[in-house]
C-alpha cells in the first residue's frame, strides 16, 4: 500500500476529506483509494480487505465500550461517526427514519389496485405524462404505462411493473418484464423490497432493452419528497449570530452552568438529555429532579433506574458509562 497507510487509515482518509460522502460502499472506497494512488489495485479482494478492517474496528470499539470511528449502514455501506448528526438533529433524523419504516409497512398493506394508483401518482410527480393504470387489464404483466418527455423533444414510452413484495426481486422477474415490452419501450420495475445482484445485472445488460429499477427505500424517499402519505412539520431552531455587528456577545465564563449531554436507547430510538446535577436533568425542554424521572418520561411512565438507564461519553477516554459515575460521592 502507498504511503504505508493501513486499510483502516485509507478508509478514514477518504471519508474524512470528503464530508459529503455520508454513506459509501466499500467498493467505491477502493476505487477512490486507487484513484488517489493509495492502493495499487482496486480489485474485489482489496475492497473486501477494507470492509473487513472497518468491521473489525467497529467490533473492537463496541467491545471496549467506546464509540466506533466508523458506522456500518448495511449492504456494504460505511460512514464516519463524526459526520452523524448530534443532539436534536439526531432526534429529527431518527424520527424521519421511523416514519419511513412505517410508510413502507403501509405500502405492504395496501390493496394491489390502490398501490398501482399510488405508483401512477408518483410517476406524475416525476414528470410522466399520459399515465395509465393497466394492471386490471392483464396487459402482459404491465401495471402502469406513461410517457417521459426529455428536453421537450425525446418521448420515452415507459412500461412499469409494480410488486408489493418482501423478498428480493430475482432475475426471472426482470426477464419477464423485458419480454412484455413492445418495440422502443423502456421498462421500469418498482418493488417494496429490493433487487438481487443477478436481477440488477440483468436489468443493466447493455445489449437488451433497458430496465430501470426502484426499490422500496427509493420509493419511500420519493413519497416523502412529494409529501405523499406524510405530514411535513416545520422545525425552527435558533442560534446566536456572532457576526451581527449590533450586538456584543459576552464570552462564556467559568461561572456559567454547564451540563453534560446524556443519552438513552429505548425501542430502537436514541433519546438525549442534559445532566446538570443529580436533581436537575433537562429532557425535551422539561426539568426533572432525578434521572429516573426523566427516564420514566422516555418510557411512557414505566419505572426505571435512571442512573443506569442514562449514559454519557467520557470526553477524555471516549468510553461510554452509565451516569451513576457522575454522582458526587
Amino acid at each position: 500500500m502507498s504511503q504505508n497507510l493501513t486499510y483502516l487509515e485509507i478508509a478514514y482518509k477518504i471519508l474524512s476529506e470528503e464530508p459529503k460522502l455520508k454513506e459509501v460502499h466499500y467498493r467505491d472506497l477502493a476505487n477512490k483509494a486507487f484513484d488517489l494512488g493509495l492502493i495499487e489495485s482496486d480489485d474485489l479482494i482489496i475492497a473486501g480487505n477494507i470492509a473487513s478492517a472497518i468491521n473489525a474496528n467497529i467490533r473492537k470499539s463496541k467491545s471496549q465500550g467506546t464509540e466506533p470511528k466508523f458506522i456500518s449502514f448495511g449492504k456494504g455501506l460505511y460512514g464516519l461517526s463524526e459526520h452523524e448528526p448530534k443532539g436534536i438533529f439526531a432526534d429529527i433524523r431518527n424520527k424521519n427514519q421511523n416514519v419511513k419504516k412505517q410508510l413502507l409497512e403501509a405500502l405492504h398493506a395496501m390493496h394491489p389496485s390502490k398501490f398501482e394508483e399510488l405508483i401512477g401518482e408518483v410517476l406524475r410527480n416525476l414528470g410522466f405524462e399520459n399515465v395509465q393504470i393497466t394492471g386490471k387489464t392483464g396487459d402482459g404483466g404491465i401495471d402502469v404505462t406513461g410517457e417521459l418527455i426529455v428536453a421537450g423533444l425525446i418521448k420515452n414510452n415507459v412500461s412499469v411493473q409494480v410488486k408489493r413484495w418482501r423478498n428480493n426481486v430475482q432475475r426471472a422477474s426482470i426477464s419477464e418484464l423485458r419480454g412484455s415490452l413492445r418495440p422502443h419501450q423502456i421498462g421500469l420495475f418498482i418493488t417494496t423490497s429490493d433487487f438481487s445482484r443477478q436481477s440488477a445485472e440483468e436489468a443493466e445488460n447493455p445489449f437488451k432493452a433497458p430496465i430501470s429499477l426502484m426499490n422500496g427505500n427509493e420509493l419511500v424517499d420519493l413519497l416523502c419528497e412529494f409529501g405523499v402519505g406524510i405530514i411535513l412539520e416545520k422545525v425552527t431552531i435558533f442560534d446566536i449570530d456572532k457576526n451581527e455587528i449590533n450586538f456584543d456577545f459576552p464570552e462564556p465564563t467559568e461561572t456559567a452552568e454547564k451540563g453534560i449531554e446524556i443519552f438513552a436507547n429505548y425501542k430502537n430510538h436514541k433519546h438525549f438529555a442534559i445532566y446538570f446535577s443529580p436533581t436537575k436533568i433537562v429532557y425535551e425542554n422539561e426539568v426533572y429532579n432525578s434521572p429516573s424521572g426523566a427516564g420514566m418520561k422516555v418510557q411512557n411512565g414505566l419505572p426505571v433506574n435512571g442512573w443506569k438507564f442514562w449514559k454519557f461519553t467520557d470526553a477524555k477516554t471516549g468510553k461510554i458509562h452509565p451516569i451513576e459515575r457522575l454522582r458526587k460521592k
Side-chain angles (χ1 to χ4, degrees):
M1 286 180 287
S2 177
Q3 302 180 20
N4 295 321
L5 296 178
T6 66
Y7 290 124
L8 201 64
E9 290 169 337
I10 288 174
Y12 182 79
K13 178 179 177 64
I14 294 173
L15 291 170
S16 62
E17 291 182 356
E18 298 193 38
K20 292 182 179 180
L21 300 178
K22 298 293 186 181
E23 301 179 14
V24 184
H25 196 274
Y26 67 89
R27 296 191 68 172
D28 293 326
L29 283 174
N31 292 336
K32 185 67 175 179
F34 179 71
D35 292 340
L36 295 175
L38 301 177
I39 55 178
E40 297 178 356
S41 171
D42 60 350
D43 61 33
L44 188 58
I45 294 178
I46 291 182
N49 289 338
I50 292 176
S52 296
I54 295 175
N55 289 331
N57 178 264
I58 293 174
R59 290 194 299 269
K60 180 179 179 180
S61 298
K62 289 184 177 180
S63 67
Q64 295 177 343
T66 61
E67 182 178 6
K69 182 180 294 184
F70 296 88
I71 295 177
S72 173
F73 297 100
K75 297 185 177 181
L77 296 172
Y78 298 95
L80 292 180
S81 298
E82 62 192 62
H83 291 166
E84 286 296 283
K86 307 295 182 183
I88 188 172
F89 298 102
D91 288 340
I92 293 173
R93 179 203 59 186
N94 293 336
K95 166 71 173 178
N96 290 343
Q97 288 178 342
N98 186 46
V99 169
K100 287 182 177 181
K101 289 180 181 178
Q102 295 179 51
L103 191 55
L104 185 58
E105 284 302 314
L107 295 179
H108 284 295
M110 289 185 73
H111 188 276
S113 62
K114 292 294 184 182
F115 183 61
E116 292 167 1
E117 292 174 5
L118 176 66
I119 296 303
E121 184 64 22
V122 170
L123 296 179
R124 293 185 186 95
N125 277 281
L126 286 171
F128 282 72
E129 299 179 0
N130 298 323
V131 175
Q132 301 291 328
I133 309 300
T134 62
K136 295 180 180 179
T137 65
D139 186 13
I142 303 301
D143 300 304
V144 186
T145 61
E147 297 175 353
L148 184 61
I149 301 177
V150 181
L153 299 172
I154 304 173
K155 182 171 70 174
N156 294 308
N157 293 310
V158 183
S159 293
V160 187
Q161 190 169 64
V162 301
K163 295 295 183 183
R164 294 178 304 110
W165 287 352
R166 293 186 182 274
N167 295 326
N168 285 350
V169 177
Q170 301 301 315
R171 180 194 294 268
S173 298
I174 303 300
S175 298
E176 290 173 5
L177 171 58
R178 182 174 279 124
S180 300
L181 298 179
R182 297 173 182 173
H184 310 298
Q185 278 190 325
I186 296 174
L188 172 60
F189 201 114
I190 301 177
T191 180
T192 51
S193 58
D194 207 344
F195 299 90
S196 69
R197 179 176 58 83
Q198 293 82 359
S199 66
E201 291 174 351
E202 176 66 21
E204 295 170 359
N205 192 321
F207 302 105
K208 299 180 180 180
I211 302 288
S212 297
L213 307 177
M214 183 186 298
N215 65 23
N217 290 332
E218 292 167 334
L219 175 58
V220 167
D221 285 342
L222 285 177
L223 292 175
C224 292
E225 179 181 342
F226 300 142
V228 178
I230 63 167
I231 298 175
L232 297 176
E233 298 180 5
K234 182 179 179 181
V235 177
T236 302
I237 300 175
F238 295 104
D239 203 352
I240 295 295
D241 181 5
K242 292 189 176 182
N243 295 320
E244 174 58 59
I245 61 174
N246 295 326
F247 294 93
D248 183 17
F249 295 104
E251 293 297 322
T253 63
E254 292 297 324
T255 58
E257 186 179 23
K258 295 182 179 179
I260 298 174
E261 184 179 72
I262 60 177
F263 58 89
N265 292 306
Y266 182 65
K267 290 188 175 180
N268 297 321
H269 183 73
K270 199 169 188 178
H271 299 262
F272 290 87
I274 303 296
Y275 175 95
F276 290 96
S277 71
T279 58
K280 183 180 180 181
I281 292 86
V282 177
Y283 172 65
E284 292 188 338
N285 295 322
E286 295 288 337
V287 179
Y288 295 85
N289 59 12
S290 71
S292 298
M296 289 178 64
K297 175 64 176 179
V298 173
Q299 297 193 159
N300 298 317
L302 293 176
V304 63
N305 183 343
W307 294 105
K308 295 184 180 294
F309 179 72
W310 294 101
K311 308 287 193 305
F312 77 101
T313 302
D314 191 305
K316 294 182 179 179
T317 66
K319 292 186 176 181
I320 298 173
H321 303 287
I323 65 169
E324 60 184 356
R325 289 202 175 198
L326 301 176
R327 280 174 121 165
K328 292 183 179 180
K329 298 181 180 180

